mmCIF file of all heavy atoms in Angstrom:
data_model
loop_
_atom_site.group_PDB
_atom_site.id
_atom_site.type_symbol
_atom_site.label_atom_id
_atom_site.label_comp_id
_atom_site.label_asym_id
_atom_site.label_seq_id
_atom_site.Cartn_x
_atom_site.Cartn_y
_atom_site.Cartn_z
ATOM 1 N N ASP I 71 -61.475 -243.385 120.822
ATOM 2 C CA ASP I 71 -60.867 -242.339 121.484
ATOM 3 C C ASP I 71 -61.166 -241.062 120.704
ATOM 4 O O ASP I 71 -61.722 -241.106 119.615
ATOM 5 C CB ASP I 71 -59.255 -242.481 121.712
ATOM 6 C CG ASP I 71 -58.617 -242.676 120.389
ATOM 7 O OD1 ASP I 71 -58.586 -241.854 119.563
ATOM 8 O OD2 ASP I 71 -57.992 -243.816 120.242
ATOM 9 N N ALA I 72 -60.613 -239.930 121.168
ATOM 10 C CA ALA I 72 -60.983 -238.614 120.549
ATOM 11 C C ALA I 72 -60.400 -238.476 119.127
ATOM 12 O O ALA I 72 -60.875 -237.582 118.490
ATOM 13 C CB ALA I 72 -60.496 -237.488 121.448
ATOM 14 N N THR I 73 -59.439 -239.323 118.795
ATOM 15 C CA THR I 73 -58.797 -239.201 117.427
ATOM 16 C C THR I 73 -59.292 -240.171 116.475
ATOM 17 O O THR I 73 -58.819 -240.171 115.318
ATOM 18 C CB THR I 73 -57.290 -239.213 117.547
ATOM 19 O OG1 THR I 73 -56.941 -240.526 118.096
ATOM 20 C CG2 THR I 73 -56.779 -238.271 118.617
ATOM 21 N N LEU I 74 -60.220 -241.051 116.858
ATOM 22 C CA LEU I 74 -60.531 -242.057 115.942
ATOM 23 C C LEU I 74 -62.008 -242.412 116.062
ATOM 24 O O LEU I 74 -62.631 -242.542 117.156
ATOM 25 C CB LEU I 74 -59.847 -243.397 116.192
ATOM 26 C CG LEU I 74 -60.217 -244.548 115.273
ATOM 27 C CD1 LEU I 74 -59.896 -244.382 113.885
ATOM 28 C CD2 LEU I 74 -59.499 -245.799 115.863
ATOM 29 N N ALA I 75 -62.808 -242.277 114.887
ATOM 30 C CA ALA I 75 -64.121 -242.846 114.802
ATOM 31 C C ALA I 75 -64.244 -243.925 113.814
ATOM 32 O O ALA I 75 -63.476 -243.862 112.782
ATOM 33 C CB ALA I 75 -65.088 -241.682 114.331
ATOM 34 N N THR I 76 -64.917 -244.880 114.126
ATOM 35 C CA THR I 76 -65.123 -246.082 113.136
ATOM 36 C C THR I 76 -66.576 -246.338 112.781
ATOM 37 O O THR I 76 -67.456 -246.093 113.625
ATOM 38 C CB THR I 76 -64.508 -247.369 113.747
ATOM 39 O OG1 THR I 76 -65.244 -247.760 114.964
ATOM 40 C CG2 THR I 76 -63.056 -247.147 114.098
ATOM 41 N N LEU I 77 -66.758 -246.800 111.605
ATOM 42 C CA LEU I 77 -68.011 -247.229 111.030
ATOM 43 C C LEU I 77 -67.936 -248.617 110.557
ATOM 44 O O LEU I 77 -67.020 -248.800 109.656
ATOM 45 C CB LEU I 77 -68.590 -246.313 110.070
ATOM 46 C CG LEU I 77 -70.009 -246.664 109.517
ATOM 47 C CD1 LEU I 77 -71.068 -246.527 110.605
ATOM 48 C CD2 LEU I 77 -70.281 -245.689 108.231
ATOM 49 N N LYS I 78 -68.704 -249.575 111.040
ATOM 50 C CA LYS I 78 -68.434 -250.854 110.741
ATOM 51 C C LYS I 78 -69.814 -251.437 110.084
ATOM 52 O O LYS I 78 -70.776 -251.077 110.587
ATOM 53 C CB LYS I 78 -68.043 -251.725 111.990
ATOM 54 C CG LYS I 78 -67.577 -253.133 111.567
ATOM 55 C CD LYS I 78 -67.125 -253.923 112.942
ATOM 56 C CE LYS I 78 -65.820 -253.117 113.351
ATOM 57 N NZ LYS I 78 -65.213 -254.012 114.557
ATOM 58 N N ILE I 79 -69.618 -252.308 109.096
ATOM 59 C CA ILE I 79 -70.814 -252.885 108.450
ATOM 60 C C ILE I 79 -70.489 -254.345 108.477
ATOM 61 O O ILE I 79 -69.441 -255.016 107.879
ATOM 62 C CB ILE I 79 -70.989 -252.358 107.024
ATOM 63 C CG1 ILE I 79 -71.099 -250.908 106.866
ATOM 64 C CG2 ILE I 79 -72.310 -253.138 106.462
ATOM 65 C CD1 ILE I 79 -71.280 -250.425 105.479
ATOM 66 N N GLN I 80 -71.455 -255.129 109.038
ATOM 67 C CA GLN I 80 -71.246 -256.653 109.107
ATOM 68 C C GLN I 80 -72.538 -257.317 109.233
ATOM 69 O O GLN I 80 -73.212 -257.000 110.292
ATOM 70 C CB GLN I 80 -70.339 -257.031 110.289
ATOM 71 C CG GLN I 80 -70.261 -258.424 110.787
ATOM 72 C CD GLN I 80 -69.660 -259.374 109.655
ATOM 73 O OE1 GLN I 80 -69.044 -258.919 108.746
ATOM 74 N NE2 GLN I 80 -70.119 -260.655 109.714
ATOM 75 N N PRO I 81 -73.045 -258.075 108.252
ATOM 76 C CA PRO I 81 -72.322 -258.320 106.988
ATOM 77 C C PRO I 81 -72.695 -257.273 105.968
ATOM 78 O O PRO I 81 -73.828 -256.724 105.995
ATOM 79 C CB PRO I 81 -72.925 -259.757 106.598
ATOM 80 C CG PRO I 81 -74.302 -259.663 107.159
ATOM 81 C CD PRO I 81 -74.157 -258.947 108.478
ATOM 82 N N SER I 82 -71.820 -257.125 105.013
ATOM 83 C CA SER I 82 -72.082 -255.992 103.983
ATOM 84 C C SER I 82 -73.022 -256.631 102.987
ATOM 85 O O SER I 82 -73.074 -257.737 102.671
ATOM 86 C CB SER I 82 -70.809 -255.403 103.348
ATOM 87 O OG SER I 82 -70.160 -256.592 102.836
#
Side-chain angles (χ1 to χ4, degrees):
Chain I
D71 61 62
T73 64
L74 177 64
T76 62
L77 180 66
K78 191 174 295 186
I79 308 174
Q80 167 63 20
S82 57

